[in-house]
Amino acid sequence: MKNAFHLKSLALPFVLLLATGCSKPTPVADNVARASETIEETAPPGNGNRVPETMLFKSYFTDAGLDFTYLSAAFDNFEGANVAPYSWNSGFGGTFRMYYDEGTYADRRTTIVNDSDGDNILQYEIKNASVLTTNPQKARIQTDLYGVVDPTNTSVPLQNFYQQVNVRLDNTSFNKLLNSSGAFVSGDWLTLFEFWNNKNWGTDAAAKYPFRIGIGLKKVTGSPNKLNFVVNAEEGNYNATTKLYTSWGDDVWTATSSLTVPFNTWIKMEIYIREGSGSDKGEFWFAVTPLNTGVRTVIADKTGVNSNWTRHPDNNAPDGLTHWNPMKLYTSKNIIDQVKASPNPTSLKVFWDDIYIWKDRTP
């Protein structure tokens, strides 16, 4: 996603955290209650050779004492209870951690707030583009899940996972982007998820054969008042001078849909990734279901005969899925400036709730 996402992270231990320090949740205004849904947390093994699925982690962000610990200017850590037996240190290889990059809480922050139905939810809010030492300038809030191992057997890498999370895009700020002719112009991007195999930072062996899959939003060509989901898979290029794969090449594959992204309603996001090895390219699948309609739309289906790379095409010895951002809000300075512009300047907000991660669950 050369000009679509400009995604880059820092080499830091695996962790997924959410920043706040807010001990009393704040009510969320301009909100639509979610429709009810049934989560199949476990499923019996199917016929043939299907492997029974295992739930690795879940959180509703509602448990007593949930708060955040300031770790550094760039990081916050979760503290407090979670859904038993899934603590914030659930054996993925480290802890969950929230990463902000540059700036302060006045620029970007994660907090626990009250939804209209009284439920606690997670809020990502960006007020200013705080990463100003890069080109392009940008803003970032992301949950890091880095250094992952298979929690059911920590001596081996995790080779597949299925993630589900509910997302709501703030009506006020995202409608402002739609109504701005200056938003989502060349060089702009807005990313909600990113999955690395391998990462492209640091000087360790994992810097070889970097590959990433990003899920984000883009304006619909010819329809300036609509947004679509877009998925991009991109391989790293080898730099003979640094002997690292530090730059990004063309997209290996991309997928989009004609579905207009809804605002201010909960959307169930389901993502499945399997690494594969040898001639097996792996599998990727992404679907969205607005909970007010219950209609699922598959955005990307790279499974079975339609499979495509989930690792660098030159990587003949993949070593598992070790780094991903299961919840992310990463965008260009121009997008933030459009939201902040008069009249009615505001901040960019995305809400999250009910995250689940499984091993061996398939679409």
Side-chain angles (χ1 to χ4, degrees), residues 60-80:
Y60 308 133
F61 306 115
T62 58
D63 286 63
L66 176 61
D67 208 337
F68 304 93
T69 302
Y70 176 88
L71 188 61
S72 70
F75 292 97
D76 280 333
N77 275 344
F78 264 123
E79 66 177 21

Side-chain angles (χ1 to χ4, degrees), residues 33-93:
R34 78 202 74 190
S36 62
E37 64 166 326
T38 300
I39 302 293
E40 294 183 11
E41 298 191 359
T42 59
N47 295 324
N49 296 320
R50 177 176 172 177
V51 177
E53 66 187 45
T54 302
M55 177 168 281
L56 303 180
F57 179 81
K58 67 178 175 181
S59 180
Y60 308 133
F61 306 115
T62 58
D63 286 63
L66 176 61
D67 208 337
F68 304 93
T69 302
Y70 176 88
L71 188 61
S72 70
F75 292 97
D76 280 333
N77 275 344
F78 264 123
E79 66 177 21
N82 189 33
V83 183
Y86 307 102
S87 72
W88 302 115
N89 299 295
S90 289
F92 281 106

